[in-house]
Amino acid sequence: MRRARRMLRAHGMPPALRVPPADRVPRGYWMRLGHRMWRGHRMGRGRPRARRAWSARPGAAAGAALLVLVAGCASGPSLENRGEVTAPPGDSKNLVVGSAGFTESDLLAQMYALLLHKAGYGTRILSVANRELYEPALESGQIDVVPEYAATFADWLNAKKNGAGAPPVGSPDLATTMKALRRLATPRGLTVLDPGKAVDQNAFAVAAPYAARHRLKTLGDLGRSGLKVRLAAGDECVQRPYCAPGLKKVYGIDLTGVDPKGVGTTQAKKAVQSGQDQMVLTTSTDATLDDFGLVLLEDDKHLQNADYIVPVVNRSQAGSEGVAAALGRLNSVLTTADLAAMNEQVDSWRRLPQDVARAYLEGKGLL
């Protein structure tokens, strides 16, 4: 599931180390390090593909950047000895912006880099396969800024601290979620900046004719209708509290079963389009629903957690007011619909994330 989407639970991974620029790598470097490339994407998000790092400087392309795992290294200072937590926030003028390697994260990273560059910071983007790699690198200062999802990241840090079985701290309430997230992030030398308007969370869609016929606009409407519903989703939906159990408990929806076709996949959407299934689990920034004649039902009882997009920075490197002000300029303009439209341009129209990001910021008067 894409909250799954967004629950990466592995712990104890060794840290990622920054690799020297391609033109400075000495002969035999990769062999000596036992170089391993990591490819992939956050579970349920986008497509796995090889990534390149791009400079935010106009017209300049940075060399390819990789993260290497080295066994036995620590992931930055221990929680008992973190000077950066009490030290003044840092303001490094050269910042590394991390991306998790899927479309939406690439777009956000590009926008962060462009905004920081305009504010006078040198930037480069480093694409990292997953949270198990980039979060330790963020703590240790090898990455300075990362776009994150409030509730998911709060639950991930909570599980990292208290174990995979720890009760979730993310919730549908944004203020409660942000409080829990900041409480967990601060001891690790991380600063969570303010969230904006854009949110990327689980969402449920039905065929437009089906919605019109039964007068459905919300999940509450579907529950009150008494209709029997077969849900196209990932097989983990059967147990996830924000999926099948939540739909039954919170909304009273009569789910007859889960058709394991994946989260927001073409196969799942076609099953709903054809009437084989009645509803599909997707995400709030899915821009392809119109292509299948599908419409989202509003989560009117707030089943889903507050996965608002938030920048997370390494305090000792990028905890300054300058960084916060530069990234905060995005908060007043970026909406969920905007993000969905940009995702579509990259995934369906095959435009480059850096081009889409720049065009959006220029269109909003931010560049």
Side-chain angles (χ1 to χ4, degrees), residues 36-341:
R36 293 174 64 188
M37 287 185 64
W38 284 82
R39 298 176 60 189
H41 64 316
R42 185 158 56 128
M43 192 182 307
R45 286 187 173 275
R47 301 176 183 135
R49 50 196 171 117
R51 312 301 308 161
R52 288 194 65 190
W54 296 85
S55 169
R57 289 183 288 275
L66 305 172
L67 288 187
V68 179
L69 295 180
V70 179
C73 294
S75 59
S78 67
L79 291 179
E80 294 78 16
N81 186 28
R82 288 186 181 273
E84 69 268 30
V85 175
T86 56
D91 192 28
S92 172
K93 294 305 179 182
N94 292 288
L95 300 175
V96 177
V97 181
S99 165
F102 57 91
T103 296
E104 189 168 291
S105 188
D106 288 346
L107 286 164
L108 290 165
Q110 292 289 344
M111 287 189 284
Y112 287 5
L114 287 164
L115 289 170
L116 288 167
H117 179 69
K118 181 176 175 61
Y121 294 89
T123 59
R124 67 186 180 96
I125 293 175
L126 197 59
S127 187
V128 189
N130 55 47
R131 191 176 284 113
E132 286 88 350
L133 295 178
Y134 70 68
E135 191 277 333
L138 183 63
E139 285 189 33
S140 64
Q142 297 158 31
I143 292 176
D144 304 307
V145 185
V146 166
E148 261 295 354
Y149 300 84
T152 294
F153 197 44
D155 283 337
W156 195 87
L157 289 178
N158 184 48
K160 185 174 181 179
K161 177 182 178 182
N162 299 313
V169 295
S171 78
D173 181 73
L174 178 59
T176 300
T177 297
M178 289 296 295
K179 183 178 180 180
L181 174 55
R182 284 171 168 152
R183 183 177 65 246
L184 289 160
T186 299
R188 297 184 175 277
L190 306 179
T191 297
V192 182
L193 303 183
D194 291 338
K197 303 174 183 177
V199 59
D200 186 354
Q201 57 192 177
N202 285 344
F204 297 90
V206 298
Y210 180 85
R213 185 164 61 252
H214 298 290
R215 298 181 180 180
L216 305 176
K217 293 185 178 180
T218 69
L219 289 170
D221 292 340
L222 183 56
R224 289 186 292 270
S225 73
L227 294 166
K228 294 186 180 299
V229 176
R230 190 167 184 245
L231 176 65
D235 54 8
E236 68 276 11
C237 176
V238 175
Q239 297 180 333
R240 292 289 171 87
Y242 307 120
C243 199
L247 292 173
K248 294 176 181 178
K249 181 179 180 180
V250 175
Y251 287 106
I253 295 174
D254 187 3
L255 284 181
T256 61
V258 173
D259 187 5
K261 285 184 164 58
V263 180
T265 63
T266 297
Q267 184 184 20
K269 291 171 187 173
K270 285 184 175 179
V272 176
Q273 183 183 39
S274 68
Q276 176 184 344
D277 298 329
Q278 287 70 51
M279 189 162 66
V280 59
L281 169 63
T282 182
T283 62
S284 58
T285 58
D286 187 338
T288 66
L289 295 177
D290 286 346
D291 297 341
F292 298 90
L294 306 181
V295 293
L296 289 178
L297 296 181
E298 180 187 348
D299 180 18
D300 51 317
K301 295 184 179 179
H302 306 292
L303 171 62
Q304 303 304 321
N305 278 345
D307 257 329
Y308 285 77
I309 293 165
V310 292
V312 182
V313 304
N314 177 286
R315 176 184 167 88
S316 66
Q317 291 285 107
S320 69
E321 291 184 4
V323 170
L327 299 179
R329 298 178 68 204
L330 194 59
N331 289 354
S332 62
V333 298
L334 183 65
T335 66
T336 303
D338 290 342
L339 199 50

